[in-house]
Amino acid sequence: MTTPRLRHRRGRLVAAVSGLAVTALTVALAVPAAAAGSTLQAAAGESGRYFGTAIAANRLSDSTYSTIANREFNMVTAENEMKMDATEPNQNQFSYGNADRIVNWARSNGKQVRGHALAWHSQQPGWMQNMSGTSLRNAMLNHVTQVATYYRGKIHTWDVVNEAFADGSSGGRRDSNLQRTGNDWIEAAFRAARAADPGAKLCYNDYNTDNWSHAKTQGVYNMVRDFKSRGVPIDCVGFQAHFNSGNPVPSNYDVTLRNFAALGVDVQITELDIEGSGSSQAQQYQGVVQACLSVARCTGITVWGVRDSDSWRASGTPLLFDGSGNKKAAYTSVLNQLNAGGTTTPTQNPTSPNPTPSPTTSTPPPTGGGSCTATYSEGQKWNDRFNGTVTIRANSNISGWQSTVTVRSPQKIIATWNGSPTWDSSGNVMTMRPSGSGALSAGQTTSFGFTVQHGGNWTWPSVTCSAS
Ligand code: 9MR
């Protein structure tokens, strides 16, 4: 990627960061200046995030490898050992030897584990590859249930389903034996995983979903939105993030992460590697970290291996340590960016026309419901989006509240803070509930905020409140 392009991207990121000014301010005030973290896990931990790596069981006996892995990372993904072919080599005979070596190493060193992956069209055991129909569906669900039950309580996040969307312009599902069991196979897998390990976060994980304008990204986004609206138990979306010159870090990466997060899921960067070297590679890594840090619900980053020589793309030298275990420029830029933070100190204001709402649009009056009142107030405006705040006022003592925010097409709410949102199927009506207790005494107020991507429509959202 060229330097001018990166400059442009940094500008966009700063603009996006400023879009979360309220959150940013809160973070800046709440967190005293911390000592710089000297490892990736310490630096990521300053903002409550994790920093992970893929681990291969057969490399743990290499002390250079395990020393770096132990020092730098606090989240571990088994690179191959928890896949379907590894854990169920014969139908209904489960094999956890290598997976356990990784889980035990992680846990005995105080690390958490991302489980990868319960259901996938690839790396299926031979017996499964030629199955179809109900018997395949049942075998897949049995696999999800057995493996998630075996590891119950030990897994931070499961990649429940991996890579189920097609590349290219269709935005649809990838054809596979699992897909041919019926379009509901993904949600069935999520429900089985939730039942087996209610404490694990459940992720959908895919690649080439980093660029917001790609059809595949939109396809996954629509699925997650649908799942959230129908109560399918999904908690997070994993972005694999395998980059190279043919598939560079997109300039709108932060937009993608933020838009998914606005659906009410966490986002995680799950398999990061960037082919290249020197300062170009370092800058791209920095951009990815910055994008994650700019999104409150981007909860962690995992790189796909320790040293370049451990990578599935070793010849592309895509990782943070060279083959001898030395820190690369990319390592330093990631560490520095983690220490600098991403949501606290925007260095410049975004250029914006700062328009006022068009005179033909009406400002809805505050509306009350039950014994609370919701009032909308304008926040900062940019040429493509604006911030709004809703203040909830209790008219009498209330034990809880919920508030709806309705935006008009083509408007879209792309970020929220201080609340827990759900969405109707159109995506135009957000119901916001308090993140913690919603109890307020008479006269007390609380507020939440959001960013609207307005698409040229400056109409204020209408808001309601109902109390319980
Ligand atoms: O890094 C993994 C490599 O060792 C395996 O041979 C390969 C087999 O499919 O899987 C690699 O990991 C993949 C991950 O499980 C899913 N996303 C893409 C990763 C790179 O291919």
Side-chain angles (χ1 to χ4, degrees):
M1 192 179 285
T2 62
T3 306
R5 190 159 171 188
L6 278 161
R7 268 199 210 107
H8 171 64
R9 186 152 65 82
R10 275 199 294 275
R12 288 182 61 104
L13 283 164
V14 167
V17 164
S18 306
L20 292 173
V22 174
T23 320
L25 193 61
T26 312
V27 172
L29 293 174
V31 181
S38 60
T39 63
L40 299 171
Q41 57 169 315
E46 287 166 20
S47 64
R49 293 175 172 87
Y50 65 77
F51 209 97
T53 186
I55 290 286
N58 62 10
R59 293 182 200 271
L60 282 173
S61 54
D62 170 342
S63 67
T64 306
Y65 177 87
S66 56
T67 299
I68 298 171
N70 196 12
R71 184 185 70 217
E72 298 291 339
F73 304 100
N74 58 354
M75 181 67 74
V76 162
T77 307
E79 186 171 359
N80 289 296
E81 294 79 350
M82 281 194 195
K83 293 174 181 174
M84 299 178 102
D85 58 351
T87 49
E88 195 179 356
N90 301 300
Q91 189 166 14
N92 252 321
Q93 283 181 4
F94 292 86
S95 157
Y96 296 112
N98 282 329
D100 280 348
R101 286 173 64 193
I102 293 175
V103 172
N104 293 339
W105 180 83
R107 288 168 62 81
S108 63
N109 287 296
K111 303 180 192 312
Q112 294 187 286
V113 178
R114 290 191 87 266
H116 173 80
L118 291 171
W120 190 16
H121 70 277
S122 181
Q123 282 190 274
Q124 291 181 358
W127 61 266
M128 187 182 267
Q129 288 172 20
N130 296 318
M131 288 178 82
S132 62
T134 309
S135 52
L136 173 59
R137 172 66 69 91
N138 289 339
M140 180 274 287
L141 292 176
N142 181 55
H143 180 88
V144 170
T145 301
Q146 297 294 329
V147 177
T149 300
Y150 179 82
Y151 283 113
R152 177 163 45 210
K154 295 183 175 173
I155 302 294
H156 175 279
T157 298
W158 268 112
D159 288 333
V160 178
V161 170
N162 196 36
E163 302 178 1
F165 275 74
D167 293 312
S169 59
S170 79
R173 297 284 181 86
R174 171 196 298 279
D175 180 49
S176 72
N177 59 351
L178 290 169
Q179 180 62 28
R180 289 192 292 272
T181 69
N183 207 49
D184 63 344
W185 74 276
I186 298 181
E187 60 194 86
F190 274 85
R191 291 186 206 282
R194 177 71 96 224
D197 186 355
K201 298 264 190 201
L202 305 182
C203 259
Y204 175 79
N205 191 52
D206 215 328
Y207 66 91
N208 282 354
T209 48
D210 313 285
N211 190 320
W212 178 242
S213 62
H214 281 179
K216 187 170 175 181
T217 311
Q218 293 298 311
V220 174
Y221 176 84
N222 289 332
M223 178 188 75
V224 175
R225 186 162 72 168
D226 171 54
F227 280 11
K228 291 299 286 181
S229 75
R230 290 189 296 111
V232 176
I234 185 169
D235 305 305
C236 47
V237 176
F239 296 81
Q240 293 185 7
H242 296 293
F243 297 114
N244 55 29
S245 56
N247 177 34
V249 181
S251 60
N252 60 16
Y253 205 10
D254 60 317
V255 174
T256 304
L257 299 176
R258 185 167 294 108
N259 286 348
F260 274 85
L263 293 175
V265 288
D266 288 342
V267 294
Q268 303 172 349
I269 292 173
T270 54
E271 304 180 13
L272 177 61
D273 49 21
I274 307 175
E275 291 188 69
S277 60
S279 60
S280 155
Q281 182 182 49
Q283 283 182 311
Q284 293 174 73
Y285 262 105
Q286 180 189 4
V288 173
V289 173
Q290 205 171 16
C292 178
L293 294 181
S294 79
V295 177
R297 292 195 76 153
C298 184
T299 57
I301 298 174
T302 294
V303 288
W304 204 238
V306 178
R307 300 162 300 192
D308 284 337
S309 50
D310 304 316
S311 168
W312 69 300
R313 285 176 163 172
S315 64
T317 61
L319 293 172
L320 302 178
F321 294 86
D322 70 18
S324 308
N326 300 310
K327 295 171 180 173
K328 294 167 58 180
Y331 172 93
T332 307
S333 72
V334 168
L335 185 74
N336 289 346
Q337 186 60 52
L338 289 170
N339 278 321
T343 55
T344 48
T345 49
T347 51
Q348 64 181 71
N349 290 322
T351 50
S352 92
N354 202 30
T356 46
S358 110
T360 55
T361 64
S362 64
T363 304
T367 51
S371 53
C372 60
T373 307
T375 311
Y376 175 76
S377 52
E378 275 186 295
Q380 244 180 308
K381 302 187 203 77
W382 295 272
N383 50 3
D384 63 337
R385 63 198 191 284
F386 58 82
N387 282 350
T389 302
V390 174
T391 303
I392 304 292
R393 182 180 185 279
N395 301 321
S396 54
N397 292 345
I398 60 174
S399 57
W401 55 267
Q402 66 180 55
S403 172
T404 64
V405 177
T406 305
V407 297
R408 277 80 168 184
S409 178
Q411 293 175 340
K412 212 152 61 161
I413 298 179
I414 58 167
T416 69
W417 50 93
N418 293 346
S420 179
T422 55
W423 308 83
D424 77 338
S425 56
S426 72
N428 291 336
V429 184
M430 173 178 76
T431 300
M432 185 65 99
R433 294 183 177 81
S435 305
S437 160
L440 296 173
S441 49
Q444 224 184 338
T445 61
T446 184
S447 64
F448 63 87
F450 50 88
T451 303
V452 175
Q453 184 179 291
H454 55 67
N457 183 347
W458 289 93
T459 312
W460 285 12
S462 52
V463 297
T464 69
C465 185
S466 63
S468 52

